[in-house]
């Protein structure tokens, strides 16, 4: 079963390889994502997020409280580099909402009996069952890949400058984060992969080691000098080049293997 819809401003595709799975769970997945867009988009004046930001909602819903708690967790973890309440801007929790909502959509599929499926939300992927092969786009050439991953029951997300320009801001300065060209995170859930990728990108080069130090996370990054840096456990598919080690970023890695770099 395959299906694609445009939701939340990007294409969402799902491929399910389980036989005889009815279409209702996929209908429920896309209905949930449309509901999230209506409730949590800061670009809709009637959304819960917009009304809460204007002080028109006395108390956020349980779902929104969960999202805002995650936002606060990452703000604290990055010393303010990741912040959804920047001065002069309205509340914008999109960096958490995307991964969080798609992960909950994947859980709807699993609850309905789906076991082997790939859910792709604007390039961020949940791979259930597997292995699945997932490509990481080159940050400067849309028709090329940096590497290819083998994923089984994992999620992968990339934050980069190639689609929307310098849209990720460092909350500590209010200025665009420009230390990296792209940063990809593999994690157990898309909630974590997507949020960690955005938070690490906001941190800049120091965010690579910060992300790799988080439990269950592996990292692949291209910095502004076009060096490729990756954590030792990043699940590169067999036969993909790994490059020579030219640098180690061991600080803050909490006794894990260091990030390695290649030119």
């Amino acid at each position: 079963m395959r299906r694609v819809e445009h939701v939340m401003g990007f294409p969402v595709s799902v491929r399910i390889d389980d036989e005889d799975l009815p279409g209702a769970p996929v209908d429920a997945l896309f209905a949930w994502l449309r509901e999230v867009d209506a409730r949590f988009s800061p670009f809709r004046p009637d959304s819960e997020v917009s009304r809460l930001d204007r002080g028109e909602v006395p108390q956020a819903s349980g779902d929104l409280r969960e999202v805002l708690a995650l936002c606060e967790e990452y703000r604290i973890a990055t010393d303010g580099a990741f912040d959804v309440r920047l001065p002069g801007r309205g509340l914008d929790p999109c960096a958490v909402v995307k991964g969080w909502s798609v992960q909950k959509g994947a859980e709807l599929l699993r609850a309905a009996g789906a076991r082997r499926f790939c859910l792709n939300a604007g390039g961020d992927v949940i791979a259930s069952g597997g292995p699945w092969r997932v490509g990481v786009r080159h940050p400067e050439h849309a028709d090329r890949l940096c590497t290819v991953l083998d994923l089984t029951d994992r999620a992968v997300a990339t934050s980069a400058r190639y689609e929307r320009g310098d849209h990720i801001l460092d909350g500590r300065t209010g200025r665009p984060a420009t230390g990296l060209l792209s940063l990809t995170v593999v994690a157990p859930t898309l909630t974590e992969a997507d949020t960690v990728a955005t938070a690490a990108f906001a941190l800049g080069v120091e965010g690579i080691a910060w992300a790799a130090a988080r439990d269950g996370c592996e990292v692949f990054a291209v910095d502004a000098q076009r060096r490729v840096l990756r954590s030792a456990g990043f699940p590169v598919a067999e036969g993909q080049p790994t490059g020579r080690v030219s640098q180690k970023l061991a600080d803050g890695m909490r006794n894990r293997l260091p990030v390695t770099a290649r030119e």
Side-chain angles (χ1 to χ4, degrees):
M1 179 188 300
R2 300 188 185 201
R3 184 161 155 189
V4 181
E5 289 194 16
H6 199 270
V7 189
M8 297 193 292
F10 47 81
V12 178
S13 66
V14 60
R15 169 180 159 179
I16 302 176
D17 286 355
D18 301 282
E19 295 183 1
D20 301 323
L21 191 77
V26 177
D27 293 339
L29 162 69
F30 284 103
W32 159 249
L33 295 178
R34 287 191 294 270
E35 176 189 341
V36 168
D37 191 29
R39 291 173 57 195
F40 296 155
S41 172
F43 309 109
R44 293 175 178 248
D46 61 341
S47 72
E48 182 182 359
V49 163
S50 296
R51 290 184 292 116
L52 180 69
D53 197 34
R54 294 194 300 265
E56 299 171 3
V57 177
Q59 182 174 336
S61 65
D63 283 341
L64 185 51
R65 288 199 301 273
E66 182 179 341
V67 166
L68 294 178
L70 286 168
C71 293
E72 181 64 6
E73 175 187 332
Y74 281 90
R75 186 192 67 79
I76 293 171
T78 60
D79 293 325
F82 177 91
D83 198 338
V84 299
R85 295 180 182 273
L86 293 171
R89 293 173 174 250
L91 172 63
D92 183 358
C94 290
V96 170
V97 167
K98 179 184 179 184
W100 171 85
S101 62
V102 176
Q103 182 63 43
K104 286 191 176 293
E107 290 163 7
L108 290 174
L109 295 178
R110 290 195 182 102
R115 293 295 175 264
R116 178 177 166 82
F117 62 86
C118 183
L119 181 53
N120 185 329
D124 296 339
V125 173
I126 296 173
S128 181
W132 293 89
R133 287 211 160 186
V134 178
V136 176
R137 199 194 115 162
H138 193 289
E140 296 180 304
H141 302 283
D143 59 343
R144 300 183 194 174
L145 298 177
C146 280
T147 191
V148 177
L149 316 183
D150 267 339
L151 289 185
T152 300
D153 295 326
R154 303 275 278 172
V156 58
T158 296
S159 288
R161 299 160 64 186
Y162 51 73
E163 289 288 351
R164 298 169 56 193
D166 293 332
H167 67 288
I168 298 176
L169 303 183
D170 181 341
R172 299 167 297 185
T173 65
R175 299 172 61 85
T178 59
L180 302 172
L181 296 182
S182 69
L183 186 141
T184 298
V185 174
V186 173
T189 70
L190 193 58
T191 304
E192 186 169 16
D194 194 23
T195 310
V196 169
T198 305
F201 198 96
L203 279 163
V205 173
E206 66 182 284
I208 302 171
W210 175 85
R214 297 185 67 87
D215 290 340
C217 290
E218 302 294 346
V219 182
F220 183 100
V222 182
D223 68 13
Q225 285 69 49
R226 293 167 178 77
R227 294 176 301 174
V228 174
L229 303 101
R230 62 178 179 85
S231 56
F234 194 79
V236 177
E238 185 177 351
Q240 293 293 306
T242 57
R244 64 181 178 82
V245 175
S246 62
Q247 180 180 358
K248 293 183 178 180
L249 301 177
D251 292 344
M253 295 296 291
R254 294 195 310 204
N255 298 320
R256 296 185 57 201
L257 292 175
V259 172
T260 59
R262 62 184 175 87
E263 303 295 342

